[in-house]
Amino acid sequence: MSYTYEYFQKSADYVKSIVPYTPEVALVLGSCLGPFADTIEDPIVIDYKDIPNFLISTVDSHAGKLIFGTVAGKKVVCMSGRFHSYEGYDFEQLVIPVRLFKLLGVKATILTNAAGAVNESYRPGDIMIVKDHIKLAGHSPLRGPNVDEFGPRFFDVTNMYTPALRKLAKDCAEGIDLKVHEGVYYFFTGPQFETPAEIRAVRILGADAVGMSTVTEALTAAHCGMPLMCLSVMTNMAAGVLDRPLTNDEVDETAKTIATRFSAYVTKIIGRIGEVEL
Ligand code: HPA
């Protein structure tokens, strides 16, 4: 399937007919980081299924709602529930959410995700500010006819995780009850967790954390020149680091344990985002 600019405009027109303001910041909530959505003031909630040309979440821990409202005095739009290629979506479909943000006039996007820690100095519950990623498997979401209104065919991704936003995330980490690192996110297509041999291999390649999301959204943001921050929550040590199998319960448990502190951290960042020239 190839998309036209008008295809994305149809989603944006619907949303604009419901929401009477332009959100400044967009947030994508990763698995089990949903509780942040409860902190949004004066929420306007739109079900994904009601948005023309949008997608539908199929993962239990992803709610499937677009929530508009106020956080730390800023107007935000928050995706509670995201889309992954392992759900069966084509990579090309995964441009849809960030292109909606762009058409809504959002100034910056914050992506969050749950990830496995490859770096053995990290611990479950730590946060990693993504400074770069590695994606050696799976297509680019920008594959197919280029939609020139969003960006050029060939585009630079040298600083796609916007340095000034990474600095803000680091500054906001001062004095909070979370350990915050900066590192490289390695994308696996999933849905299986990785093998211990894969984890050993990607550690050699420079990965600090692994996950099954985010890079498609990040590449879409880079293509349309959208300033971007990404925060990964280390929900578990990656496969083979500890001498036991991985379970999704472990991922959910850690996410639950840090949800409140993580929400407070993200709220602090949103409150100070005006300090960054975007
Ligand atoms: N691997 C891939 N994705 C993940 C992991 C992991 O260990 N933990 C949370 N999401």
Side-chain angles (χ1 to χ4, degrees), residues 114-116 193-194 210-212 235-236 246 251:
F193 290 120
E194 300 70 31
V210 281
M212 306 172 195
T235 49
N236 54 282
L246 285 188
V251 172

Side-chain angles (χ1 to χ4, degrees), residues 237-250:
M237 298 310 291
V241 175
L242 305 175
D243 189 19
R244 56 180 162 86
L246 285 188
T247 67
N248 200 47
D249 288 348
E250 180 180 354

Side-chain angles (χ1 to χ4, degrees), residues 35-162:
F36 177 83
D38 301 332
T39 70
I40 300 173
E41 298 157 42
D42 305 321
I44 302 174
V45 181
I46 304 178
D47 275 349
Y48 293 165
K49 65 176 167 33
D50 294 333
I51 307 174
N53 296 346
F54 209 64
L55 305 171
I56 292 167
S57 293
T58 67
V59 186
D60 285 349
S61 55
H62 287 249
K65 291 179 194 315
L66 204 55
I67 307 170
F68 291 78
T70 307
V71 172
K74 298 270 182 319
K75 290 280 186 269
V76 302
V77 51
C78 179
M79 273 184 75
S80 185
R82 62 143 57 87
F83 311 109
H84 313 79
S85 84
Y86 66 72
E87 293 173 78
Y89 295 115
D90 295 333
F91 277 88
E92 295 90 317
Q93 289 178 284
L94 299 176
V95 296
I96 288 176
V98 173
R99 287 193 167 169
L100 174 61
F101 299 157
K102 180 74 180 175
L103 291 177
L104 292 178
V106 161
K107 286 203 203 120
T109 293
I110 301 176
L111 305 174
T112 66
N113 61 51
V118 174
N119 186 318
E120 288 170 303
S121 75
Y122 294 5
R123 291 289 169 266
D126 289 358
I127 308 297
M128 184 182 85
I129 302 164
V130 177
K131 68 174 175 201
D132 204 347
H133 77 233
I134 303 173
K135 181 177 101 59
L136 302 182
H139 290 298
S140 169
L142 284 313
R143 177 173 180 261
N146 187 53
V147 183
D148 297 335
E149 289 89 340
F150 286 109
R153 168 80 297 179
F154 302 105
F155 59 104
D156 180 55
V157 289
T158 309
N159 281 314
M160 59 188 287
Y161 298 94
T162 309

